[in-house]
Amino acid sequence: IPFESEWAVMKREYGSKGYSVTHHPLSILRHWLEERSRSLRRQRFVPYYNSQEVNEPKVQTRDKLRVAGLLSTTQRPPTAKGFCFLTLEDEFGFMNIVVPPDVYQKERLTIYSRALIEVQGSVEKSGEVVNIRAQRILPLTGWNRDQSLAHSPT
């Protein structure tokens, strides 16, 4: 019997149960995201933050950041003046994403067609509540499913 990668196990569990008890997609992709962050830092671009880092005191309102995660909820209430609200999750927790109307119009296809996304934006803190105001929403791509999962997703 051939070896079943972590990604294959996770896909099988999501396919049969709708969830995975043992694997979160971002835990499998974390090594790739960390490598990508190192590369982004070398190029003087904003690196990826996880949900724990977003909530740390060192991250302040208006700080630029980039997050990646599994899109778990999308809300666009008619009373919100065109704003859309996303809940993004990684293996550590949840992140609140606020999508302004102009960004929503540009990125709505990605929002409704992709499960794994990248959000680029800025932090908005109000007391204990931390939101990320989206400026760009992209499909999370670039990792190779054919690589060994010792350090990369398949």
Side-chain angles (χ1 to χ4, degrees):
I1 298 175
F3 169 76
E4 188 174 36
S5 69
E6 288 178 292
W7 193 265
V9 169
M10 183 205 58
K11 279 185 69 175
R12 181 174 42 76
E13 289 175 343
Y14 268 88
S16 65
K17 301 176 203 154
Y19 61 91
S20 173
V21 174
T22 56
H23 298 91
H24 189 284
L26 271 289
S27 68
I28 297 172
L29 295 174
R30 185 58 55 197
H31 182 77
W32 176 82
L33 289 168
E34 288 171 355
E35 285 181 4
R36 179 92 173 102
S37 286
R38 283 191 289 276
S39 174
L40 288 166
R41 281 187 191 98
R42 281 193 300 273
Q43 298 171 46
R44 296 183 181 253
F45 288 114
V46 176
Y48 289 96
Y49 286 73
N50 65 46
S51 60
Q52 288 177 330
E53 294 167 332
V54 167
N55 289 304
E56 289 179 358
K58 70 178 181 180
V59 176
Q60 298 293 313
T61 295
R62 290 190 287 258
D63 283 357
K64 300 285 185 201
L65 53 70
R66 178 186 318 245
V67 295
L70 178 66
L71 184 56
S72 59
T73 341
T74 303
Q75 299 176 32
R76 192 161 184 252
T79 57
K81 299 180 182 174
F83 280 81
C84 180
F85 305 95
L86 311 176
T87 302
L88 203 61
E89 67 177 74
D90 64 13
E91 70 272 37
F92 304 114
F94 298 95
M95 295 169 276
N96 300 321
I97 313 295
V98 178
V99 184
D102 61 323
V103 176
Y104 174 80
Q105 289 303 317
K106 286 187 278 187
E107 313 291 3
R108 68 184 183 276
L109 183 60
T110 301
I111 292 169
Y112 292 110
S113 66
R114 298 300 184 115
L116 296 173
I117 63 171
E118 170 185 324
V119 176
Q120 298 172 9
S122 58
V123 176
E124 294 179 344
K125 288 188 174 185
S126 177
E128 296 292 315
V129 178
V130 178
N131 293 317
I132 299 167
R133 187 178 182 94
Q135 294 168 337
R136 291 192 71 195
I137 299 173
L138 307 162
L140 186 60
T141 60
W143 43 274
N144 185 346
R145 288 189 175 146
D146 297 327
Q147 293 173 343
S148 161
L149 268 184
H151 295 102
S152 301
T154 60

